[in-house]
Amino acid sequence: MRLRGTALACALIIAAAGCSSQKPSDDEGRSAAPTDGKPAEHPDPGDFNNDGFGDYVTIVRSRSKDAKKYAETLVVVYGSREGLSTRSVRRTSSGSPKYVGFTSQPLRTDLDGDGFTDLVGTRGANGTARESFALFGGARGLTDARRLDLPDGFRPVAAADFDGDGSMDLLDGGQGGTGDPSATEPGGSGLLLYGPFDRAGKPKRQAALDLGQHGYATPSTATTGDFDDDGRAEVVFTYSFDSEEDESAPEDLHTVGYYEGGEQGLVRDTQQERVVAATVDTADGPRTPAAGDADGDGIPDLLLPTQLNVAPADMPGAGGALTIMYGAKSGLNKGREATVIGDLDSERRRIDFGSSPAVGDVNGDGKPDVVVNTPGFQRDEGKVTLLPGGSDDVPSLDGEQVMNADTEGMPGTPNPYGRNSFGYQPPLLDVDGDGHTDAVVFAPLYEKRKGAYLVLRGSDAGFEAKRVQLFTPDDIGVPLRLT
């Protein structure tokens, strides 16, 4: 079994001037084209041109030393036999107005159903979406950004087939809410746009969603997966708010929303909400889940970063774990018993262990592996942990592997004063097409603060420091420091 990196459900909120409809604008650019690919019935979300090499997406934030100049650039670096190719890069600027830029990661989805994965997002100002756009995938890679004919203010936070018709749908969970200390108005309603979409972005139909908890809070994150294998995706929302001393807060507030996909729309499942919330809730709000097939049965599972109950005196040195709730035809967590990786019977983990979980096959043995971050390790030095699949096809701590700035043989020059923020950016990708998934780390303080991308290449032995590929933002045409 060969596993590909899976795209997490997340939004791209981009603020800027208008998109190009055909030709690149002055602030868009592309270097050499990647190798030709072919359309696929189920395109790999990690590969925009289906050439067998995973493609990396990142947002580079650049500023001048005096902070008077600021720019953001959406960058796609295409994969090749040698790894990520700095000769094959697409750059899309967020625009020139001050305080305008990308605010979250893009959605990877085959929006127009042509067999190639696309990038979908929005842009605007001050948190308000003004324009939706897509970079459409094709045999030669992504097109320039093209304006989409979506409703005003629409910000997609998830893309999946919620009604089972075979077309991708886009979901906006709504915006705002008085649970946000900076908000002045109730949160807006969510909106579900049903595919198929044409290349102008026009959906087949749409439906309003009441996800705002009486206007108090709208979803912060959305994670999708067909956890019951019925062809209709479910969605898990998390909400962040501080209602402890707010007498106006509704009594039925919840930190997790769980909705089943269906032909007639999304249907709330409060029982699943309580189970998931009990796993991800912390005193600082819920941790963000992810989806992936962690046991290799072909059905997505829910990966839940977990904070276990430990004495306050033990934090932050203990209490972190990763819980895997398995999908099954009978429903999420209704088949195989959930797995807790890093429970209190094993070596105790920092409370932020298990962050940004993703599934892949790093060592190429056909068993699913999981990769997680621990961002607060050694005062924000950060580390990446590989949890390999075991004899029962479930990832575990047996044979775990840790990579950080101090790993012997790691290339590059980390910041000698620490706080290197060594953490990979999901999804996992097979960037060189060798059957081993890879993880891409961005370390902003490497190379005397020029920053560095470190591609942790998978191999039969897991991640190998001697095979790590390093390149800088300068190498892809977007330096961190503006002059």
Side-chain angles (χ1 to χ4, degrees):
M1 176 184 63
R2 178 176 176 179
L3 298 178
R4 291 283 192 175
T6 56
L8 303 184
C10 48
L12 173 62
I13 304 167
I14 305 177
C19 284
S20 165
S21 59
Q22 295 294 334
K23 299 179 181 179
S25 64
D26 292 340
D27 57 14
E28 293 187 356
R30 172 172 162 177
S31 49
T35 56
D36 285 357
K38 297 180 180 180
E41 183 177 359
H42 301 290
D44 178 357
D47 183 359
F48 297 116
N49 59 329
N50 291 338
D51 64 352
F53 306 113
D55 306 317
Y56 176 62
V57 179
T58 188
I59 296 171
V60 180
R61 296 173 174 87
S62 308
R63 68 179 70 243
S64 60
K65 188 174 182 179
D66 60 7
K68 292 183 178 180
K69 295 181 180 179
Y70 180 79
E72 293 191 4
T73 309
L74 174 65
V75 181
V76 178
V77 187
Y78 291 97
S80 70
R81 293 190 185 280
E82 292 73 38
L84 291 180
S85 174
T86 57
R87 300 184 303 276
S88 187
V89 179
R90 171 167 289 284
R91 296 175 292 273
T92 302
S93 171
S94 67
S96 57
K98 196 173 184 180
Y99 306 122
V100 168
F102 306 94
T103 57
S104 62
Q105 292 298 314
L107 289 173
R108 297 173 179 246
T109 184
D110 185 6
L111 186 67
D112 56 356
D114 67 348
F116 291 99
T117 297
D118 314 311
L119 276 178
V120 179
T122 59
R123 51 187 174 186
N126 300 321
T128 301
R130 301 281 178 83
E131 179 181 88
S132 303
F133 73 91
L135 284 71
F136 288 99
R140 299 288 284 170
L142 293 167
T143 66
D144 305 326
R146 299 181 180 182
R147 186 191 305 268
L148 296 178
D149 185 21
L150 301 183
D152 292 343
F154 185 84
R155 295 193 305 179
V157 296
D161 182 4
F162 294 109
D163 59 354
D165 67 350
S167 298
M168 287 293 142
D169 312 315
L170 293 178
L171 187 152
D172 178 356
Q175 303 166 44
T178 54
D180 179 351
S182 63
T184 58
E185 297 180 357
S189 298
L191 186 63
L192 180 55
L193 304 182
Y194 290 97
F197 295 80
D198 59 25
R199 281 222 166 183
K202 187 176 181 180
K204 180 180 179 181
R205 59 190 176 96
Q206 65 184 52
L209 301 173
D210 182 11
L211 305 173
Q213 304 201 56
H214 313 288
Y216 193 81
T218 49
S220 300
T221 69
T223 303
T224 63
D226 185 7
F227 302 122
D228 56 6
D229 198 33
D230 67 351
R232 298 183 289 267
E234 284 71 56
V235 58
V236 182
F237 297 108
T238 64
Y239 295 81
S240 297
F241 49 79
D242 184 3
S243 61
E244 186 174 356
E245 298 181 3
D246 187 353
E247 295 181 356
S248 68
E251 294 183 357
D252 59 348
L253 284 176
H254 47 278
T255 57
V256 170
Y258 190 99
Y259 289 79
E260 297 274 354
E263 294 181 3
Q264 304 304 317
L266 299 179
V267 179
R268 186 179 173 191
D269 186 335
T270 57
Q271 181 179 1
Q272 289 284 23
E273 287 179 357
R274 290 190 290 270
V275 173
V276 174
T279 306
V280 299
D281 275 352
T282 74
D284 297 320
R287 299 182 70 184
T288 302
D293 184 7
D295 60 354
D297 66 352
I299 302 176
D301 309 308
L302 191 61
L303 285 65
L304 303 163
T306 305
Q307 184 173 310
L308 303 174
N309 291 322
V310 297
D314 292 332
M315 295 184 182
L322 179 69
T323 300
I324 303 175
M325 292 184 180
Y326 297 100
K329 290 186 179 298
S330 54
L332 180 69
N333 207 33
K334 295 181 179 179
R336 188 173 195 162
E337 184 178 354
T339 297
V340 180
I341 302 175
D343 59 35
L344 296 180
D345 293 332
S346 60
E347 179 185 348
R348 296 193 174 190
R349 310 281 158 155
R350 269 190 56 91
I351 58 173
D352 54 350
F353 169 81
S355 299
S356 307
V359 177
D361 187 4
V362 175
N363 57 17
D365 64 355
K367 300 175 182 178
D369 308 317
V370 170
V371 177
V372 299
N373 285 327
T374 307
F377 173 70
Q378 291 185 349
R379 297 185 178 182
D380 301 329
E381 186 70 1
K383 68 177 180 179
V384 175
T385 303
L386 167 63
L387 304 169
S391 57
D392 57 355
D393 293 333
V394 175
S396 71
L397 294 174
D398 294 338
E400 71 171 310
Q401 183 182 19
V402 173
M403 304 288 283
N404 60 26
D406 294 329
T407 299
E408 184 177 357
M410 186 73 67
T413 305
N415 180 30
Y417 305 106
R419 299 187 182 278
N420 280 287
S421 301
F422 193 97
Y424 86 100
Q425 299 176 328
L428 300 178
L429 302 163
D430 184 2
V431 301
D432 53 8
D434 67 351
H436 303 78
T437 47
D438 314 303
V440 184
V441 169
F442 176 58
L445 299 186
Y446 261 58
E447 309 305 305
K448 298 181 179 180
R449 297 180 180 266
K450 289 184 178 180
Y453 297 95
L454 298 108
V455 184
L456 309 183
R457 307 273 280 273
S459 73
D460 290 351
F463 293 132
E464 293 185 86
K466 65 181 181 181
R467 298 187 67 241
V468 170
Q469 176 191 6
L470 182 148
F471 59 92
T472 69
D474 295 61
D475 294 331
I476 54 177
V478 279
L480 295 185
R481 180 60 57 84
L482 298 176
T483 57

